[in-house]
Amino acid sequence: MSTHVWDYLPEYEKEKDDILDAVGKVFASGRLVLGESVKGFEEEFAAYHGGGLCTGVDNGTNALKLALEALGVGPGDEVITVSNTAAPTVVAIVSTGATPVFVDVREEDFLIDPAGVEAAVTERTKVLLPVHLYGQCADMEPLLRIAERHGLKVLEDCAQAHGARHHGRPAGTMGDAAAFSFYPTKVLGAYGDGGAVLTSDAGTDAAMRQLRYYGMDRVYYVVRTPGHNARLDEVQAEILRRKLTRLDSYIEGRNAVARRYEEGLGDLAGPGGLRLPVTGAGNSHVYYVYVVRHPRRDAIVEALKAYDIHLNVSYPWPVHTMSGFAHLGWEAGSLPVTERLAGEVFSLPMYPSLPEAVQDRVIHALRDVLTAEGK
């Protein structure tokens, strides 16, 4: 049986009746766009995070883009972020006309290194955009202090961190705004695409609602400022409402898989060989992906194919090295930790309904390959 890093079908089999009921409810409601399901999800998602205001949008990339625009980012501005992220983080910045400025990440947890942030601030810097990567939060306290010193806004990229916490605070509640993705693979995933922006500021939320609906302000056809067509779909919103009630159980399931990997592989981990995920100080990890590291990554991933285990790499190409961003002028070697990680990291299968038998297959196969490789 072929093994991959993600599969939604086991979860769907368990939740099928509820998912199909959600679809039926929307179709029978008489309102297919910006109806009660979107409104209900926005309220419930905000409540899950302890309050605030939520605007549902069509995907996580637009959540970032519209949030940046709502925070006043535009041409000529700079946004500080990382290159060790999914490309949409940077696509969103560039699409506003702003320039992304990259800082390196920390060796131990792959998250933005606050030590490099202050030196990257210029008079054009408008926003700090930390990425809560792989399921845990960036080290927010020093970032927030830097932002306060320089009068900057902070936008959290929470696409991979639904339900994660940092010193007890939920991801998405520490900055001025936070962008979420509900792509199907996410910790809270839709059956299609979706996104949301969370904020405690009424002005930012009002701007978000205007931007997602062509720039119109309540009265149809009256555009106050050029916006976008970026509305969260009613069907996806209703599905997300149902799944939100199970989010904590999804996180528990992911942590159980992570513990099983730790127990099965921990004795093989060590300097110069396999390195397992490290949870940052004060963090609770939700393991969106379970990313391990090995200096002979490519040989290991290739060898596992003989066991019919096919793994992903998150991420093999740092954003600053991609041809689509060559105009930014970043040279190879400018972010050494990020570039080193790109040649060493790979992801083991991770989703809450991952059968224990499959986990064991992965553990045993990886142990065999590592033993053959001399660890």
Side-chain angles (χ1 to χ4, degrees), residues 142-189:
L143 297 176
L144 293 170
R145 288 195 294 269
I146 292 169
E148 184 176 6
R149 278 197 296 272
H150 295 277
L152 307 176
K153 299 291 187 181
V154 176
L155 172 60
E156 301 173 63
D157 184 340
C158 299
Q160 301 185 11
H162 311 76
R165 289 179 176 269
H166 181 63
H167 294 293
R169 298 184 65 180
T173 65
M174 293 171 276
D176 296 280
F180 292 82
S181 168
F182 304 119
Y183 187 75
T185 61
K186 304 302 184 185
V187 180
L188 179 61

Side-chain angles (χ1 to χ4, degrees), residues 209-210 213-224:
R209 292 180 180 279
Q210 190 174 85
Y213 196 56
Y214 310 112
M216 297 177 183
D217 184 11
R218 289 190 292 274
V219 180
Y220 192 56
Y221 294 128
V222 178
V223 173
R224 304 298 183 188

Side-chain angles (χ1 to χ4, degrees), residues 2 9 14 43-44 62 70 123 145 149 174 232 295 320:
S2 184
L9 291 174
K14 294 179 183 177
E43 292 172 351
E44 291 154 15
N62 275 340
E123 61 182 14
R145 288 195 294 269
R149 278 197 296 272
M174 293 171 276
L232 178 61
H320 73 284

Side-chain angles (χ1 to χ4, degrees), residues 248-313:
D248 289 343
S249 69
Y250 297 153
I251 293 170
E252 290 172 8
R254 288 174 178 272
N255 272 271
V257 174
R259 286 192 297 270
R260 198 174 185 87
Y261 283 144
E262 174 75 29
E263 292 165 1
L265 298 168
D267 64 306
L268 297 182
L274 182 70
R275 296 173 69 172
L276 301 181
V278 173
T279 300
N283 278 350
S284 63
H285 210 310
V286 297
Y287 293 101
Y288 165 59
V289 282
Y290 191 89
V291 175
V292 300
R293 180 179 178 185
H294 198 286
R296 296 188 298 280
R297 184 269 313 284
D298 292 344
I300 291 168
V301 170
E302 186 63 29
L304 285 169
K305 292 178 183 177
Y307 296 80
D308 209 9
I309 295 172
H310 305 271
L311 304 182
N312 286 353
V313 176

Side-chain angles (χ1 to χ4, degrees), residues 300-368:
I300 291 168
V301 170
E302 186 63 29
L304 285 169
K305 292 178 183 177
Y307 296 80
D308 209 9
I309 295 172
H310 305 271
L311 304 182
N312 286 353
V313 176
S314 300
Y315 300 94
W317 301 286
V319 176
H320 73 284
T321 68
M322 296 179 182
S323 60
F325 300 107
H327 65 285
L328 298 175
W330 290 80
E331 298 180 356
S334 56
L335 300 171
V337 179
T338 294
E339 292 170 37
R340 186 161 55 251
L341 291 175
E344 298 183 357
V345 296
F346 60 106
S347 303
L348 303 187
M350 171 57 75
Y351 49 95
S353 54
L354 182 66
E356 289 187 356
V358 176
Q359 297 170 45
D360 290 341
R361 279 192 66 232
V362 172
I363 291 168
H364 294 150
L366 186 51
R367 291 187 69 90
D368 286 349

